[in-house]
Amino acid sequence: MPLLRLRDGAELFYKDWGNPEGAIVTFSHGWPLSSDNWENQMAFLGEQGFRCIAHDRRGHGRSTQTWHGNDMDTFVDDLKELFEHLDIKDAVMVGHSHGGGEVTRFLGKHGTGRVRKAVLVGAVPPLMLKTAANPEGTDKAVFDSFRDAMRRDRAQFFLDVATGPFYNFNREGAPRSEGQIRSWWQQGMNTSFKTAYDCIKDFSETDFTDDLKKINIPVLVLHGDDDQVVPFGASGEKSAKLLPQGKLKIYGGGSHAIHNINVDEVNADLLDFVRS
């Protein structure tokens, strides 16, 4: 099992799939999941000759369950170590939800020297939290309710998220996948309670506005207009306008998990973007 020992002794699990000599595409997963959430995209692009690399953020999946460091700056410093360890260059970075925040902060903090393009999928930037300067955001009470639900019964809360708003399985007539639900729940429960709890603050209160403005490479923003978790009007739409070279594609009726539900369409969009 490939593991990178980080500067503080924590171990970071990563996958390295596809053609070892191929152009590199990296994947950053959402909350509270793992690199497994990207398997459809990694398998597809790997079959097209790309080298696909994805990691489990610290506290998630098969990486060390650290007590401290469950914050965006630590996460992107970990990712920088992975890029250096694998000598990743000319990569396309892809991030979903909280992982889209990771991609954005990585590029804002560490620059674009090793990256040529990026893709944000249902991503949390610029800022999820409702503030005076961000009236389109979500009330803090919503995120407080997440924390309360975790403390009452994390297992049931994670099941409720997966059966409901994450995939839009709560929409009338929506086809429901029991397998997707079980996969989400399993990934979530494999994440440290402390990490999952701390990351509610991290994904909801981290402001990525300045990071977006700094990114000087092409960025494709993919977002469902029926995203119940990260509403389009407060995120994808605003991010595309803040990015110097942002390009937006809206998935009509799309959920927060378009890469899991609209698999063929997302794969085609990724392939077209990384090849161009």
Side-chain angles (χ1 to χ4, degrees), residues 40-41 44-45 262-272:
N40 280 321
Q41 286 69 44
F44 172 75
L45 290 177
N262 305 79
V263 175
D264 291 342
E265 188 176 358
V266 170
N267 285 355
D269 287 337
L270 288 178
L271 182 61
D272 181 64

Side-chain angles (χ1 to χ4, degrees), residues 206-227:
T206 302
D207 190 339
F208 299 95
T209 301
D210 290 340
D211 299 296
L212 290 165
K213 293 176 180 178
K214 292 178 186 176
I215 299 173
N216 60 352
I217 55 174
V219 181
L220 176 64
V221 179
L222 306 179
H223 216 109
D225 64 4
D226 192 25
D227 188 327

Side-chain angles (χ1 to χ4, degrees), residues 79-173:
L79 188 54
K80 179 174 182 287
E81 287 195 49
L82 182 64
F83 270 53
E84 291 169 348
H85 174 69
L86 296 176
D87 195 25
I88 293 172
K89 296 176 181 176
D90 297 319
V92 177
M93 297 184 76
V94 183
H96 171 246
S97 193
H98 195 194
E102 182 179 50
V103 169
T104 302
R105 176 55 55 86
F106 179 94
L107 296 172
K109 183 176 183 179
H110 296 303
T112 57
R114 292 178 177 269
V115 184
R116 64 183 183 88
K117 289 183 178 182
V119 184
L120 304 180
V121 183
V124 297
L127 173 63
M128 285 197 72
L129 188 69
K130 183 177 183 178
T131 65
N134 187 44
E136 301 87 1
T138 302
D139 286 330
K140 184 174 180 292
V142 173
F143 304 114
D144 288 340
S145 74
F146 293 174
R147 285 180 275 261
D148 291 343
M150 275 198 67
R151 290 202 177 274
R152 284 196 309 272
D153 188 344
R154 172 166 79 132
Q156 185 60 53
F157 173 51
F158 281 5
L159 187 61
D160 291 343
V161 173
T163 57
F166 192 86
Y167 299 107
N168 281 8
F169 291 157
N170 56 345
R171 295 303 196 207
E172 185 176 356

Side-chain angles (χ1 to χ4, degrees), residues 4-270:
L4 169 64
R5 185 172 293 276
L6 299 167
R7 60 204 174 280
D8 63 351
E11 292 186 316
L12 195 75
F13 170 83
Y14 64 92
K15 300 177 182 181
D16 193 344
W17 291 6
N19 178 8
E21 305 301 321
I24 296 174
V25 185
T26 70
F27 295 86
S28 293
H29 63 80
W31 176 91
L33 306 173
S34 73
S35 56
D36 294 350
N37 194 242
W38 282 116
E39 63 184 10
N40 280 321
Q41 286 69 44
M42 293 182 68
F44 172 75
L45 290 177
E47 291 165 352
Q48 306 302 315
F50 291 90
R51 181 182 178 190
C52 299
I53 298 169
H55 65 295
D56 295 351
R57 278 192 293 282
R58 66 168 62 215
H60 299 73
R62 289 136 293 200
S63 294
T64 301
Q65 294 195 357
T66 52
W67 188 256
H68 300 290
N70 301 313
D71 61 84
M72 189 52 65
D73 283 319
T74 302
F75 294 146
V76 301
D77 289 348
D78 293 347
L79 188 54
K80 179 174 182 287
E81 287 195 49
L82 182 64
F83 270 53
E84 291 169 348
H85 174 69
L86 296 176
D87 195 25
I88 293 172
K89 296 176 181 176
D90 297 319
V92 177
M93 297 184 76
V94 183
H96 171 246
S97 193
H98 195 194
E102 182 179 50
V103 169
T104 302
R105 176 55 55 86
F106 179 94
L107 296 172
K109 183 176 183 179
H110 296 303
T112 57
R114 292 178 177 269
V115 184
R116 64 183 183 88
K117 289 183 178 182
V119 184
L120 304 180
V121 183
V124 297
L127 173 63
M128 285 197 72
L129 188 69
K130 183 177 183 178
T131 65
N134 187 44
E136 301 87 1
T138 302
D139 286 330
K140 184 174 180 292
V142 173
F143 304 114
D144 288 340
S145 74
F146 293 174
R147 285 180 275 261
D148 291 343
M150 275 198 67
R151 290 202 177 274
R152 284 196 309 272
D153 188 344
R154 172 166 79 132
Q156 185 60 53
F157 173 51
F158 281 5
L159 187 61
D160 291 343
V161 173
T163 57
F166 192 86
Y167 299 107
N168 281 8
F169 291 157
N170 56 345
R171 295 303 196 207
E172 185 176 356
R176 171 174 161 147
S177 167
E178 187 67 26
Q180 292 277 19
I181 293 168
R182 292 186 184 189
S183 177
W184 197 101
W185 186 88
Q186 182 181 48
Q187 289 176 62
M189 293 303 293
N190 282 337
T191 291
S192 153
F193 182 98
K194 179 70 161 52
T195 298
Y197 187 90
D198 289 352
C199 282
I200 295 172
K201 177 180 177 67
D202 193 61
F203 72 65
S204 65
E205 298 184 24
T206 302
D207 190 339
F208 299 95
T209 301
D210 290 340
D211 299 296
L212 290 165
K213 293 176 180 178
K214 292 178 186 176
I215 299 173
N216 60 352
I217 55 174
V219 181
L220 176 64
V221 179
L222 306 179
H223 216 109
D225 64 4
D226 192 25
D227 188 327
Q228 298 178 69
V229 179
V230 182
F232 167 69
S235 51
E237 185 175 38
K238 294 176 74 173
S239 290
K241 293 176 181 177
L242 289 166
L243 287 159
Q245 298 182 58
K247 178 183 177 181
L248 173 65
K249 177 177 178 180
I250 303 168
Y251 281 62
S255 69
H256 186 53
I258 51 175
H259 64 300
N260 300 140
I261 300 298
N262 305 79
V263 175
D264 291 342
E265 188 176 358
V266 170
N267 285 355
D269 287 337
L270 288 178

